[in-house]
Amino acid sequence: VQLQASGGGSVQAGGSLRLSCAASERTFGSYSIGWFRRVPGKEREFVGAISWRGDSSEYVDSVKGRFTMSRDNDKNTVYLQMNSLKPDDTAVYYCAAKYFRYSRKDSDYDYWGQGTLVTVSS
């Protein structure tokens, strides 16, 4: 599965962005998708994940209530809607695919996108 993350950019605090993760395969519907982020000098952090059916999701506490994941399996795409952005959300965001059940551990994911940079200014 090849993943292409897009939608990053620069916004002011309080603004919104929507990231997309597009997959190359029609079997995309069998994969759960996780979003992770990395700040230079820090470890990659779990942000959220959505099940292969799209009927369940979970998020890291720091983004709960602000970030929402959704998926459109007909378009082989998962979205990460990010609202009320904060400077601490500044990072490179990566999407990753894991067959069937999602996980919070990046090492459990089999396929990764190239990352998209989100910059939030105060």
Side-chain angles (χ1 to χ4, degrees):
V1 178
Q2 291 184 327
L3 303 175
Q4 179 76 34
S6 62
S10 298
V11 297
Q12 290 190 328
S16 298
L17 283 173
R18 188 177 77 161
L19 305 185
S20 298
C21 178
S24 60
E25 293 194 6
R26 299 180 67 180
T27 56
F28 174 73
S30 300
Y31 289 84
S32 291
I33 299 297
W35 282 97
F36 295 80
R37 63 188 180 187
R38 174 175 276 165
V39 175
K42 294 188 177 180
E43 293 187 354
R44 188 160 49 194
E45 176 191 30
F46 171 79
V47 175
I50 188 166
S51 65
W52 61 282
R53 287 180 176 174
D55 57 353
S56 65
S57 60
E58 64 178 73
Y59 304 89
V60 68
D61 286 347
S62 60
V63 308
K64 282 182 181 177
R66 301 189 296 121
F67 290 12
T68 304
M69 293 182 68
S70 61
R71 68 188 297 160
D72 185 340
N73 285 345
D74 289 337
K75 294 183 178 179
N76 289 355
T77 302
V78 167
Y79 304 98
L80 178 65
Q81 178 67 43
M82 306 187 297
N83 298 328
S84 302
L85 283 162
K86 304 175 181 180
D88 284 349
D89 296 319
T90 296
V92 177
Y93 284 72
Y94 300 87
C95 61
K98 178 183 179 297
Y99 184 71
F100 196 46
R101 187 171 181 81
Y102 59 70
S103 167
R104 287 178 171 248
K105 294 172 56 179
D106 56 0
S107 59
D108 287 341
Y109 287 79
D110 302 306
Y111 306 98
W112 289 83
Q114 84 289 2
T116 185
L117 176 62
V118 172
T119 303
V120 184
S121 58
S122 58

